[in-house]
Amino acid sequence: MEIVLKSVYHRGKKCIAIRFDYEVTLKNYVNAFSGVYWSKTLGCFYILHSQKSLYSILKYLRAKKYRVDATAFGEKKTVTVTKPKRPTYFLPELTTEKEIAFKKYIQYLKGKRYSKSTIVVYGGFVSEFLRFTNTKLISALTEDDVRLYVEWAVRSKKYSISTHRQLVSGLKHFAIFHPECAIDEEKLVRPNKSKLLPTVLSQEEAIDLLRVTKNLKHRTVLALLYSAGLRIGELINLKLNCFDLDRRQLFIRSGKGRKDRVVLLAESFLPLFKNYFMTYQPKVYFVENPSGGQYSSGSVRKFLKKSCEMARIKKYVTPHTLRHSYATHLLENGTDLRHIQELLGHSKPETTMIYTHVAKKDLLAIKSPLDSALVAIAKQDNAHQKLFLSDNSQGI
């Protein structure tokens, strides 16, 4: 099997693209490499570029006797390789002018103190837009170019409404940052948000999920996600010094929007956590991979999916579903909406209000007209009940 390593820019960062003809054994082997990601845009796996990562991936691939072409990095060519198939949406590399502008745009976002994830997302869309417009000068770009790019991206990549909104936001910032272009940012309109209700597990389903998860580390992770309402990114970045077991508190530092907050640890979680800590003895982070670094969100999603299958849960469940379930169950148990907003770290109460639409506490007090009718009928004397209750059935 032949593998080609190429230098690419992806989401504003220099990366190493790993290209090869599809073969399931090789795919699984590459996917198991620490730090590897799949890019739908590039149509291949990739890792962040550094001399250490280049050396590691070469050593990893050659350990299985795979032939690797890394001549793009000055490595000796090991085999003549056929040119890999490009995805149907292959885009050209950035021109010199656009690469300079793109790097300055990333610095602009950093200067605005946007989060790392926001910079990666916005940078990825702007890079793709600049590549989509090919050799057209930045000063000549207009809203029509944006429209054509958005139509292409949404159609070919099947972007969701939320991704579509992020795409437009990234381009709006680019138009503001680079006023030399002819794009009027006020004419770039985001699609309306989808008003979808979140998927929520019942309390019984949440307990079933934990019961079927036999792996101690996995069960502890799922228990914390549900019992504290954490985002997956908050859990991955959670350090051991954030736990205050005496006060049953957990400090979430630099959560979404660079906000710190405090959440309560469930009493039932403490013995599980102590058992986990004594067994795995993590050093820095709450949950760590076998080599000691941060755990990956992909790993959490994998074992969550497996646990859902074992618990026979048919709903589409993600780590964020456990956060939705936490908030909904708090509301159903009588917790004030303002307190839930603080626990979740929401900036606006409107964000928390969505859980009032899925909580069933007040809805359970509402009786269906079918139930009311049947109760009324049951109170009647059975001996005098008619076959048809409605007089209209008698032809009157």
Side-chain angles (χ1 to χ4, degrees), residues 173-201:
H173 281 287
F174 179 76
I176 295 170
F177 155 73
H178 209 297
E180 292 83 0
C181 69
I183 301 173
D184 184 352
E185 65 92 11
E186 293 185 357
K187 293 183 179 179
L188 304 183
V189 181
R190 302 180 189 88
N192 293 329
K193 280 186 177 179
S194 300
K195 296 182 179 180
L196 303 176
L197 295 179
T199 300
V200 174
L201 299 179

Side-chain angles (χ1 to χ4, degrees), residues 36-81:
V36 75
Y37 303 92
W38 170 260
S39 168
K40 194 173 181 180
T41 302
L42 299 174
C44 67
F45 288 103
Y46 72 95
I47 58 175
L48 296 180
H49 181 275
S50 70
Q51 285 300 115
K52 182 178 179 181
S53 62
L54 175 61
Y55 171 79
S56 298
I57 190 65
L58 284 171
K59 182 179 178 181
Y60 182 75
L61 294 173
R62 288 171 178 167
K64 288 289 186 178
K65 307 300 181 183
Y66 288 117
R67 293 172 292 178
V68 184
D69 178 2
T71 52
F73 302 94
E75 291 285 321
K76 185 178 179 181
K77 193 169 184 179
T78 57
V79 67
T80 301
V81 186

Side-chain angles (χ1 to χ4, degrees), residues 353-373:
M353 285 291 290
I354 191 173
Y355 297 109
T356 62
H357 297 285
V358 291
K360 64 180 182 179
K361 176 187 174 185
D362 296 328
L363 294 177
L364 288 177
I366 300 174
K367 287 187 177 181
S368 166
L370 174 62
D371 293 336
S372 301

Side-chain angles (χ1 to χ4, degrees), residues 342-386:
E342 288 292 328
L343 291 170
L344 293 176
H346 287 163
S347 300
K348 300 177 182 179
E350 292 81 4
T351 309
T352 317
M353 285 291 290
I354 191 173
Y355 297 109
T356 62
H357 297 285
V358 291
K360 64 180 182 179
K361 176 187 174 185
D362 296 328
L363 294 177
L364 288 177
I366 300 174
K367 287 187 177 181
S368 166
L370 174 62
D371 293 336
S372 301
L374 291 175
V375 169
I377 293 170
K379 291 179 180 179
Q380 296 179 7
D381 186 351
N382 291 336
H384 294 86
Q385 281 190 9
K386 298 181 291 183

Side-chain angles (χ1 to χ4, degrees), residues 40-42 89 91 128 152-159:
K40 194 173 181 180
T41 302
L42 299 174
Y89 45 81
L91 297 175
E128 188 175 71
W152 168 82
V154 172
R155 181 181 66 253
S156 63
K157 300 191 176 184
K158 306 186 187 305
Y159 283 152

Side-chain angles (χ1 to χ4, degrees), residues 54-162:
L54 175 61
Y55 171 79
S56 298
I57 190 65
L58 284 171
K59 182 179 178 181
Y60 182 75
L61 294 173
R62 288 171 178 167
K64 288 289 186 178
K65 307 300 181 183
Y66 288 117
R67 293 172 292 178
V68 184
D69 178 2
T71 52
F73 302 94
E75 291 285 321
K76 185 178 179 181
K77 193 169 184 179
T78 57
V79 67
T80 301
V81 186
T82 56
K83 192 173 183 179
K85 294 180 180 178
R86 292 174 174 176
T88 55
Y89 45 81
F90 175 80
L91 297 175
E93 295 298 323
L94 292 174
T95 62
T96 302
E97 178 210 19
K98 289 180 176 178
E99 186 168 356
I100 292 172
F102 174 71
K103 289 180 179 178
K104 290 181 178 179
Y105 172 70
I106 296 298
Q107 293 305 315
Y108 160 78
L109 294 179
K110 290 179 179 178
K112 298 283 286 184
R113 303 188 72 88
Y114 285 113
S115 68
K116 183 179 178 181
S117 61
T118 299
I119 292 172
V120 168
V121 172
Y122 284 5
F125 288 132
V126 169
S127 172
E128 188 175 71
F129 168 65
L130 294 176
R131 291 163 59 210
F132 177 82
T133 54
N134 205 349
T135 57
K136 190 172 184 177
L137 296 177
I138 294 179
S139 59
L141 297 177
T142 66
E143 298 90 52
D144 283 338
D145 294 301
V146 173
R147 176 182 58 79
L148 291 172
Y149 163 66
V150 171
E151 290 174 355
W152 168 82
V154 172
R155 181 181 66 253
S156 63
K157 300 191 176 184
K158 306 186 187 305
Y159 283 152
S160 65
I161 294 292
S162 60

